Amino acid sequence: MKIFFAFVVKEFRHVWRDKRSLMILLGLPIIMMLIFGFAISSEVKDSKILVIDHAKDNQSRMLIDRFNQSEYFTVFAISTDEKIIPDYFEKGSVRLALIIPSGFRTDMEKEGSQLRLIADATDPNSANIATSYASAVIRDFQIQFFENAAAFMNINIETRMLYNPQLKSSFNFVPGVMTLIMMLLGTMMTAVAIVKEKEMGTIEILLVSPMKPILVIISKAVPYLVICFVDVLLILFMAYMVLDMPMRGSLPLLLLESLLFIITTLSFGLLISTLVSSQQMAMFISLVGFLMPALVFSGFMFPIENMPLPLQVISNVVPTKWYFLILKTIMVKGLGFEYIIKPTIILAVMTIIFILLTLRNFKVRLM
Amino acid sequence: MSKVIITEKLTKKFDDFTAVDAISFEVEQGEIFGFLGANGAGKTTAMRILSGLSYPTSGKAEVAGFDVYNQVEDIKRNIGYMSQKFSLYENLTVRENIHFFGGIYGLGRKELKQASEELISRLHLGPEANKLVKSLPLGWKQKIAFSVAILHRPKIVFLDEPTGGVDPITRRQFWELIYEATSQGITAFVTTHYMDEAEYCDRVSIMVDGAIAALDTPAALKSQFNASSMDAVFLQLARAAKRS
């Protein structure tokens, strides 16, 4: 135990001295969170909209006001000339144009009026989102207008977005970023740290010492376990303070599951370190060979259900998919352990397999 | 005098390549045993077996009274090891290195403190003790590495080309440290490329093609091969090598 402690102290000193790695270890989560939180957002906020108002009556004015009040839109310009529309889209100054026909009010009261929405679909995703938001604004307006004449609204669709009524993208990316950061740091840093000792030749010295080889490897991983856990806390804190991420389930459960996932990534890093002998190779394997599938198959960016069947099958062996699922279940749905037993068992089994393979490879290497 | 290393027909095969071919020798306690051979002659493999890093294919070997097959843990506790490739952890200070290596050999806090202060004053390190190892010259690193390797008072210290890349004066100083250690009863098992260093050894073995081609004191070897220096002895033997 004393030996183990001496080793862990030395590992911490290594990490502490290596300021660049330390910056990556603690800075990366913060930067990723900020980038995903503020720069990359699938929500469409303050979309600029051009209104061509042929009616110019009270009703059209009220509709325009509604758009202005919505946090999703800003009325960029109001005009009566349809010819200017292409110009605005070409310059990219608006995303959406709304055309209100003349006689808007009277038509609406009689047989119904035709509003036209024109969207810039060079980015199909945001065009879709903007038009659906606009439709929602118009629908609200219509409901208010016909308050006393419900006869016009025979079918009233009421959509409820469960767990995330405001469709906040942070509900998706906070678990996603957490998964990726853990995977990246846990795997790469551990692999590189051990391979570094191989490159320097210091591993030999450790192996001739009375320390058990497996203890050497485990104690190399301990500091990264601590750092990754600090990263989890850091991400959760930022998500809670800055990005309004809810924490609906049990925090201790979340931390325990995170610990399990960190151990999974660390043991994978250890496995990589037994297979390669240079730091570049270790980094290459963890980044290209692992981060890419981890990203694609986590379900964070691309829904797994939309993938062709063979890829769906492959996704099952990618640990990030399961951790992402666990995080979403606990944080967003607020469910308890009984709902995540399956992914937990899968992660645990993966960890055991990684560790067994590491042990086997390590012994072979010593012969 | 007791024998701290005994090998008998020690053999290591990698598939059909025989790296170490039935070597038999004995090393006395407190001796400086030179283990010479050209690159690829098998000396590193032999040394790895003796230091518990690798298992032999056949033959017998005892190190510090323990068997290399099933008492590897005991062997490791009783040996020190220093290689050319390794000096110390570059981004730890001298003191931190001492504490770490003392720590993994299970030295207690009190022992460790005493041993490290003694080491620091013996090598006249003073303020340098708190500097990062990477800021020190190579010769210093090697002296510190050696001192660290014998910090836990091992019976045998294995030195794998310990003086590679340093000037003759620093090499001489390094050997003073080895003499000091062996005078206290530690056995030194040294591989080297420098033939002048071979002259400093009590006994020298020369490996050729995995087997021991000669083993005796430097003086006896020189007269046996009718050579003026160890260099000449070595060349005569190495020339006969089939694998290079």
Side-chain angles (χ1 to χ4, degrees):
Chain A
M1 203 58 218
K2 207 159 57 186
I3 297 175
F4 183 70
F5 185 70
F7 203 103
V8 172
V9 167
K10 167 230 158 207
E11 262 337 291
F12 269 113
R13 284 194 172 125
H14 274 315
V15 176
W16 186 247
R17 288 272 150 72
D18 191 355
K19 294 287 186 252
R20 257 184 311 175
S21 298
L22 200 65
M23 288 269 283
I24 295 176
L25 287 168
L26 296 175
L28 190 73
I30 298 179
I31 292 167
M32 289 263 273
M33 287 298 281
L34 291 177
I35 289 176
F36 276 90
F38 295 104
I40 304 174
S41 170
S42 53
E43 291 166 49
V44 179
K45 267 189 190 159
D46 287 327
S47 280
K48 297 205 173 73
I49 180 166
L50 169 69
V51 182
I52 306 295
D53 184 4
H54 292 303
K56 289 205 279 188
D57 51 24
N58 258 352
Q59 246 51 47
S60 71
R61 193 81 46 217
M62 270 172 66
L63 180 58
I64 294 167
D65 280 348
R66 283 229 155 218
F67 271 96
N68 248 336
Q69 282 156 13
S70 152
E71 62 167 320
Y72 302 113
F73 295 102
T74 308
V75 175
F76 187 71
I78 305 173
S79 169
T80 50
D81 184 7
E82 278 187 40
K83 285 197 198 78
I84 67 167
I85 297 175
D87 194 41
Y88 274 76
F89 278 115
E90 278 156 22
K91 279 191 204 143
S93 39
V94 297
R95 248 187 234 258
L96 201 66
L98 168 71
I99 302 167
I100 307 173
S102 54
F104 176 52
R105 187 199 163 129
T106 42
D107 282 357
M108 202 161 46
E109 279 168 351
K110 288 180 201 153
E111 68 266 35
S113 177
Q114 289 280 331
L115 286 175
R116 262 196 297 156
L117 276 175
I118 303 170
D120 175 0
T122 36
D123 176 357
N125 231 345
S126 60
N128 243 332
I129 295 169
T131 48
S132 67
Y133 284 172
S135 310
V137 172
I138 295 166
R139 199 165 46 236
D140 278 356
F141 167 78
Q142 200 176 2
I143 290 167
Q144 188 198 30
F145 185 81
F146 288 106
E147 220 170 3
N148 304 319
F152 279 91
M153 307 286 292
N154 286 332
I155 297 178
N156 193 354
I157 299 171
E158 195 194 306
T159 316
R160 258 186 79 204
M161 294 296 180
L162 269 186
Y163 307 118
N164 187 359
Q166 292 159 287
L167 295 179
K168 283 197 180 224
S169 57
S170 62
F171 283 37
N172 186 47
F173 85 77
V174 169
V177 169
M178 230 166 121
T179 310
L180 287 185
I181 291 178
M182 291 304 107
M183 193 73 234
L184 178 68
L185 296 184
T187 306
M188 192 172 74
M189 289 298 174
T190 328
V192 167
I194 293 183
V195 174
K196 202 171 177 178
E197 297 236 10
K198 274 199 209 175
E199 263 187 2
M200 307 275 288
T202 44
I203 195 106
E204 296 251 299
I205 291 292
L206 300 178
L207 295 177
V208 294
S209 80
M211 244 179 123
K212 288 215 165 43
I214 191 59
L215 207 62
V216 171
I217 284 208
I218 290 174
S219 40
K220 286 237 54 127
V222 168
Y224 295 98
L225 180 80
V226 175
I227 288 170
C228 285
F229 199 71
V230 169
D231 281 340
V232 168
L233 297 177
L234 204 64
I235 293 173
L236 285 178
F237 180 75
M238 283 191 58
Y240 182 72
M241 296 302 289
V242 187
L243 298 163
D244 300 328
M245 180 73 190
M247 182 61 227
R248 298 193 175 123
S250 140
L251 184 64
L253 177 63
L254 182 80
L255 294 181
L256 276 177
E257 293 284 343
S258 300
L259 204 59
L260 171 66
F261 183 65
I262 292 169
I263 294 171
T264 312
T265 64
L266 292 181
S267 53
F268 192 72
L270 293 179
L271 180 60
I272 292 178
S273 76
T274 62
L275 299 174
V276 301
S277 50
S278 79
Q279 291 186 58
Q280 279 95 330
M281 200 59 200
M283 218 171 296
F284 184 78
I285 290 192
S286 16
L287 277 180
V288 181
F290 211 73
L291 191 67
M292 279 311 287
L295 183 63
V296 172
F297 292 115
S298 62
F300 162 39
M301 293 191 156
F302 315 106
I304 292 168
E305 308 85 70
N306 297 355
M307 291 179 185
L309 192 65
L311 293 186
Q312 287 193 32
V313 174
I314 291 173
S315 77
N316 288 326
V317 299
V318 179
T320 47
K321 171 186 169 170
W322 303 108
Y323 182 58
F324 184 60
L325 189 70
I326 291 173
L327 285 183
K328 290 226 295 196
T329 308
I330 299 177
M331 292 174 89
V332 182
K333 291 192 178 168
L335 300 176
F337 181 65
E338 61 273 26
Y339 293 91
I340 48 171
I341 290 173
K342 185 181 152 202
T344 305
I345 289 174
I346 292 174
L347 281 183
V349 169
M350 281 179 177
T351 309
I352 291 167
I353 292 174
F354 289 152
I355 290 175
L356 288 179
L357 284 175
T358 307
L359 280 175
R360 208 201 57 174
N361 280 334
F362 199 71
K363 273 189 191 142
V364 168
R365 215 185 59 83
L366 273 180
M367 299 301 271
Chain B
M1 279 293 200
S2 61
K3 294 180 172 39
V4 287
I5 301 177
I6 305 167
T7 74
E8 214 183 305
K9 294 191 174 144
L10 190 69
T11 302
K12 175 77 180 185
K13 285 182 183 165
F14 296 104
D15 298 326
D16 33 336
F17 174 74
T18 310
V20 176
D21 193 2
I23 57 172
S24 306
F25 63 90
E26 290 171 354
V27 180
E28 304 274 342
Q29 192 205 338
E31 196 176 18
I32 302 178
F33 189 82
F35 203 58
L36 275 54
N39 285 333
K43 52 186 188 331
T44 305
T45 310
M47 198 146 147
R48 286 175 66 88
I49 296 171
L50 296 177
S51 51
L53 281 179
S54 171
Y55 288 107
T57 315
S58 63
K60 278 192 220 159
E62 255 182 36
V63 177
F66 300 106
D67 185 70
V68 291
Y69 288 96
N70 45 36
Q71 292 176 302
V72 175
E73 295 299 315
D74 296 306
I75 290 178
K76 285 179 174 176
R77 240 184 296 281
N78 285 288
I79 61 167
Y81 182 90
M82 173 194 170
S83 81
Q84 175 198 17
K85 209 174 161 195
F86 167 78
S87 46
L88 296 158
Y89 284 103
E90 299 268 318
N91 62 356
L92 297 183
T93 67
V94 175
R95 209 181 287 270
E96 284 164 356
N97 266 292
I98 296 172
H99 279 245
F100 170 63
F101 285 107
I104 62 172
Y105 279 93
L107 264 62
R109 191 175 299 176
K110 234 177 175 175
E111 270 175 294
L112 201 59
K113 199 169 174 193
Q114 195 191 342
S116 72
E117 291 313 318
E118 200 184 295
L119 192 160
I120 288 162
S121 70
R122 186 154 38 96
L123 294 180
H124 310 291
L125 284 169
E128 256 67 33
N130 291 323
K131 282 193 180 163
L132 293 189
V133 166
K134 66 178 160 206
S135 66
L136 300 175
L138 181 62
W140 284 48
K141 288 185 204 172
Q142 286 170 335
K143 280 187 259 178
I144 299 166
F146 176 74
S147 307
V148 166
I150 57 167
L151 196 69
H152 58 288
R153 305 268 128 215
K155 288 204 175 104
I156 306 154
V157 60
F158 288 92
L159 305 168
D160 191 3
E161 296 179 13
T163 55
V166 298
D167 57 89
I169 296 168
T170 316
R171 263 181 16 224
R172 185 66 229 178
Q173 291 172 347
F174 187 87
W175 276 84
E176 299 291 342
L177 288 178
I178 298 180
Y179 285 137
E180 202 183 307
T182 50
S183 72
Q184 292 165 10
I186 295 175
T187 308
F189 188 96
V190 193
T191 73
T192 179
H193 271 325
Y194 300 106
M195 287 306 138
D196 58 326
E197 289 189 344
E199 314 260 2
Y200 303 153
C201 298
D202 294 326
R203 282 194 306 149
V204 170
S205 83
I206 300 178
M207 268 185 100
V208 177
D209 291 347
I212 291 180
L215 198 172
D216 216 327
T217 62
L221 283 175
K222 277 186 282 189
S223 69
Q224 184 192 339
F225 287 86
N226 202 9
S228 61
S229 67
M230 279 306 294
D231 206 20
V233 174
F234 186 74
L235 279 175
Q236 279 188 40
L237 287 165
R239 217 170 269 147
K242 290 187 186 66
R243 63 187 204 221
S244 58

